[in-house]
Amino acid sequence: MLLYVHVPFCVRKCGYCAFHSGPFSAPEAERYVELVLRELDCRGKALGRRAVETVYIGGGTPSLLTPAQIGAILEGAAARFDLEAGAEITLEANPESALKTGFLVAVRALGVNRLSLGVQSLRDDLLATLGRAHDAARARLAARAAREAGFSNLSLDMIWGLPGQDVSAWLADLAGIVALAPEHVSCYGLSLEEGAPLAEAVDAGGLSLPDEEEGARMYLEGSAYLESEGFGHYEISNYARPGRESRHNRGYWSGRDYLGLGPAAVSTLGGRRWANPAGLDEYARTAAIGAEREGTEILTADVRRQEMVMLALRTRDGLDLQEFMAATGIEFPRRDPAVERLRSSGLVRLGAGRLQLTREGMLVSNSVIELVLGVLDRTPASTAQESYD
């Protein structure tokens, strides 16, 4: 089982952010930790001592918590579940809060062995546009401080497609990231949610985004550059040195069970999915229940099939067609005209028993996956087996 802990606090809301978060205060943070421990206790009683292979503390800004608070959550998890030896334990952090005196040394001593720093850009003007609380110098300082604190597994988050950014600026940003020698890099295209300050500025004409062609070049050329520097492109938005892929996220993409703790956290266990209430007050009223939440979704065979395809096609490994046949009874229609068009247009590869997106296919992954799902929806289940190339 994977364990995710959502920390719902930020110093301030970034202009593009759609994740659930609220303003930080020390009393609310203490209250939050108590509630998470209460939920942990109830979930542990309900689930038994399930083995946990990864822990991911995300947000929000988890580095706003104190090391003692983070330690209490990790101790609570270890008391109620069997945390596997060598478990990957990730903490998301922002540069400005990661640089609090002694913070990184303390959380490393608690057993956090993977740090994910939200850098987003190494250009001060773009960081200001995004509403980030750090500048490029502090981002570089935080990466160096992580090494000094003993972190040997460092991930840096970046965003492309920013207002005023072009391909050359994006590649320069990536060169700066490579110079920091991380084990992992995540690169997300800017997504503007309705109502976000940055979206409103773009709609009002105060900011302009790169056009579609420029954005495509950023993705393709940025991916090629990172691969040339030794980072494997193992998922649509993720790149890693060999053996340094995120075990937690790979668990999501392979359909593993996961338990989410904290406000707005989602869980998928035993074919059921539910989400915790987003507000801290409502979460406080339900954290001690320990049973399935109202609105729990039963994952039908159709939903599981769709998610198997969607998640697998996000990754470099793609969809294993024999596993798909065994799980669904559907023989993948490799000669379907729509599949042939995807192959001939260079968006997918079909061979060695797998369907995989090419780099160009990853750029338009939503459209490709939707088309593949449409093909499978009209393909009847079969018990026939096929030999794969």
Side-chain angles (χ1 to χ4, degrees):
M1 181 178 77
L2 319 174
L3 185 63
Y4 174 76
V5 183
H6 184 73
V7 181
F9 304 114
C10 287
V11 171
R12 66 187 186 209
K13 195 82 165 177
C14 294
Y16 57 89
C17 183
F19 288 104
H20 173 72
S21 65
F24 173 81
S25 74
E28 285 292 87
E30 193 62 35
R31 178 186 180 213
Y32 157 81
V33 172
E34 291 174 0
L35 293 172
V36 168
L37 293 177
R38 189 185 304 170
E39 187 184 11
L40 255 173
D41 186 53
C42 294
R43 288 295 175 192
K45 290 175 180 176
L47 296 173
R49 293 197 62 83
R50 294 278 297 264
V52 171
E53 57 194 280
T54 65
V55 179
Y56 194 106
I57 305 176
T61 309
S63 48
L64 290 174
L65 300 181
T66 67
Q69 290 168 332
I70 294 168
I73 292 172
L74 292 175
E75 288 172 11
R80 292 155 181 85
F81 300 111
D82 286 330
L83 202 58
E84 294 181 357
E88 177 189 87
I89 303 177
T90 301
L91 179 76
E92 286 186 352
N94 280 347
E96 69 282 356
S97 49
L99 287 170
K100 292 180 297 187
T101 302
F103 177 84
L104 290 174
V105 171
V107 296
R108 181 67 191 92
L110 292 171
V112 177
N113 52 30
R114 184 173 183 272
L115 189 71
S116 178
L117 275 177
V119 175
Q120 317 311 3
S121 177
L122 289 173
R123 276 181 48 174
D124 288 344
D125 58 335
L126 295 181
L127 289 169
T129 297
L130 291 172
R132 300 293 289 176
H134 67 273
D135 58 16
R138 292 172 96 182
R140 292 187 174 95
L141 185 60
R144 290 194 293 270
R147 296 304 194 196
E148 292 168 2
F151 282 96
S152 60
N153 197 355
L154 176 64
S155 179
L156 302 180
D157 279 11
M158 297 291 287
I159 301 178
W160 56 272
L162 301 178
Q165 189 181 52
D166 59 16
V167 173
S168 61
W170 173 233
L171 292 176
D173 245 0
L174 288 180
I177 288 299
V178 169
L180 295 173
E183 282 69 39
H184 189 281
V185 181
S186 296
C187 300
Y188 302 104
L190 179 65
S191 176
L192 295 180
E193 299 295 328
E194 185 177 353
L198 202 56
E200 292 175 351
V202 170
D203 290 342
L207 293 172
S208 60
L209 299 176
D211 62 28
E212 186 175 338
E213 182 178 350
E214 189 77 0
R217 288 183 59 209
M218 286 185 199
Y219 182 80
L220 296 173
E221 294 187 27
S223 297
Y225 170 72
L226 287 173
E227 289 198 317
S228 75
E229 293 290 336
F231 292 88
H233 188 185
Y234 75 101
E235 192 270 344
I236 287 173
S237 302
N238 289 278
Y239 309 79
R241 298 290 187 191
R244 294 308 186 103
E245 298 86 354
S246 167
R247 287 165 53 193
H248 186 85
N249 287 337
R250 291 195 83 165
Y252 286 148
W253 301 323
S254 64
R256 301 294 298 275
D257 274 0
Y258 58 92
L259 175 64
L261 303 171
V266 176
S267 300
T268 299
L269 286 167
R272 288 171 163 78
R273 177 173 297 143
W274 66 89
N276 285 344
L280 198 58
D281 287 340
E282 188 178 3
Y283 174 61
R285 290 192 290 271
T286 62
I289 294 175
E292 292 176 7
R293 307 297 188 225
E294 183 178 347
T296 293
E297 176 189 5
I298 306 300
L299 301 181
T300 65
D302 284 346
V303 169
R304 291 196 299 269
R305 183 190 73 210
Q306 290 172 3
E307 293 190 353
M308 181 181 186
V309 173
M310 288 189 293
L311 294 171
L313 289 183
R314 290 188 61 88
T315 69
R316 173 180 58 199
D317 294 338
L319 181 67
D320 184 309
L321 301 184
Q322 288 184 329
E323 287 184 3
F324 180 74
M325 174 72 174
T328 67
I330 296 175
E331 183 179 21
F332 188 82
R334 55 196 303 143
R335 294 180 179 84
D336 184 277
V339 175
E340 290 292 347
R341 287 195 298 273
L342 289 174
R343 293 181 68 179
S344 63
S345 60
L347 298 177
V348 302
R349 288 185 293 270
L350 187 55
R354 293 184 178 275
L355 177 69
Q356 300 162 294
L357 300 190
T358 62
R359 184 181 296 154
E360 291 74 12
M362 286 185 171
L363 176 62
V364 291
S365 59
N366 288 344
S367 297
V368 175
I369 291 170
E370 183 179 357
L371 194 151
V372 171
L373 289 174
V375 170
L376 293 172
D377 283 344
R378 61 176 184 267
T379 303
S382 169
T383 57
Q385 296 293 319
E386 181 179 21
S387 62
Y388 296 95
D389 296 337

